[in-house]
């Protein structure tokens, strides 16, 4: 399934999942994304990859305009593709921000052809399949180290979210979380308010 969208889109403030592999190419936006317990920023030129069943959500930051295109790929289709195993590995990268790949500018320019995007509802299926394989080919050639660095605050927040996710039954209060990470309760509150 392919769709191109450009709208004034404020992401829903809750996690959602798909039963498909999801590839989103961001054309114009700047927002934060939270997936499972990892928080990261993404914008124009980034490709987001979500595996089936992986919880994720977008968090609006600045410009509400959200221009992107995306593919949903059924897991059975991935299994049947000649490079299916390598393609599936894209969605399980080992780098810290495994869900984001930043495309080099020259590759990004070739992957945002106006002809396809402006006619997304009337695309010739063969042209779309060719476009899809070009995208996958480029993504498989980009090394993991180009996925970018995260800020210390995002790193800390991800650690806190992971701690909450794995130890929620043993945490009596927010101040206990702050104490566990040797930060003040007010800083913890500001970190959550600012990021989430």
């Amino acid at each position: 399934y392919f769709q191109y969208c450009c709208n004034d889109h404020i992401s829903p403030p809750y996690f959602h999942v798909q039963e498909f592999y999801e590839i989103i190419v961001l054309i114009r936006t700047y927002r934060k994304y939270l997936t499972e317990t990892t928080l990261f920023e993404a914008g124009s030129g980034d490709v987001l990859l979500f595996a089936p069943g992986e919880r994720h959500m977008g968090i609006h930051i600045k410009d509400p305009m959200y221009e992107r295109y995306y593919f949903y790929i059924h897991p059975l289709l991935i299994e049947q593709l000649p490079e299916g195993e390598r393609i599936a590995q894209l969605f399980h990268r080992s780098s810290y921000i495994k869900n984001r790949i930043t495309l080099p500018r020259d590759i990004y320019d070739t992957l945002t052809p106006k002809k396809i995007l402006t006619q997304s509802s009337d695309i010739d299926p063969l042209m779309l399949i060719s476009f899809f394989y070009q995208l996958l080919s480029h993504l498989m050639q980009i090394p993991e180290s180009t996925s970018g660095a995260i800020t210390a605050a995002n790193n800390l927040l991800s650690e806190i979210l992971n701690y909450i996710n794995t130890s929620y039954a043993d945490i009596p209060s927010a101040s206990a979380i702050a104490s566990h990470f040797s930060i003040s309760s007010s800083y913890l509150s500001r970190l959550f308010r600012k990021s989430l």
Side-chain angles (χ1 to χ4, degrees):
Y1 176 80
F2 169 83
Q3 185 165 7
Y4 163 77
C5 298
C6 183
N7 52 15
D8 226 10
H9 179 76
I10 306 298
S11 299
Y14 50 82
F15 279 113
H16 61 280
V17 297
Q18 275 91 20
E19 58 187 278
F20 306 104
Y21 287 97
E22 181 178 8
I23 301 175
I24 305 173
V25 178
L26 301 176
I27 299 171
R28 190 172 112 198
T29 192
Y30 180 68
R31 58 192 56 222
K32 291 185 180 183
Y33 290 85
L34 183 62
T35 177
E36 300 297 337
T37 58
T38 303
L39 179 72
F40 61 94
E41 295 177 6
S44 302
D46 288 332
V47 178
L48 307 180
L49 305 167
F50 300 107
E54 185 174 18
R55 296 181 314 148
H56 60 280
M57 66 183 276
I59 304 166
H60 168 70
I61 298 179
K62 293 181 182 172
D63 183 2
M65 188 55 66
Y66 189 24
E67 185 176 9
R68 75 274 186 207
Y69 67 83
Y70 53 91
F71 288 94
Y72 289 151
I73 308 113
H74 197 284
L76 291 176
L77 175 62
I78 294 284
E79 290 174 14
Q80 294 175 14
L81 293 175
E83 292 284 327
E85 191 173 315
R86 281 189 61 215
I87 294 167
Q89 288 174 1
L90 280 172
F91 296 84
H92 303 285
R93 295 162 64 88
S94 61
S95 59
Y96 192 76
I97 307 177
K98 69 181 185 70
N99 299 90
R100 185 187 79 206
I101 297 176
T102 299
L103 294 172
R105 187 69 205 184
D106 59 330
I107 294 174
Y108 170 74
D109 288 342
T110 66
L111 294 175
T112 52
K114 293 298 177 193
K115 182 177 181 183
I116 288 181
L117 299 180
T118 56
Q119 301 173 356
S120 67
S121 59
D122 307 330
I123 297 178
D124 172 16
L126 290 177
M127 180 188 285
L128 184 57
I129 290 170
S130 171
F131 181 50
F132 172 67
Y133 278 114
Q134 287 176 48
L135 173 62
L136 286 179
S137 175
H138 286 300
L139 291 175
M140 289 192 295
Q141 294 174 35
I142 296 174
E144 292 190 31
S145 60
T146 62
S147 60
I150 61 171
T151 65
N154 284 352
N155 189 11
L156 175 61
L157 183 61
S158 293
E159 289 179 28
I160 292 169
L161 291 170
N162 188 49
Y163 173 65
I164 292 169
N165 194 42
T166 58
S167 308
Y168 63 90
D170 302 322
I171 301 172
S173 65
S175 59
I177 297 169
S179 176
H180 179 82
F181 287 92
S182 302
I183 58 175
S184 69
S185 294
S186 59
Y187 178 73
L188 176 67
S189 178
R190 282 195 309 275
L191 184 62
F192 268 75
R193 217 173 23 251
K194 179 182 176 189
S195 300
L196 302 174

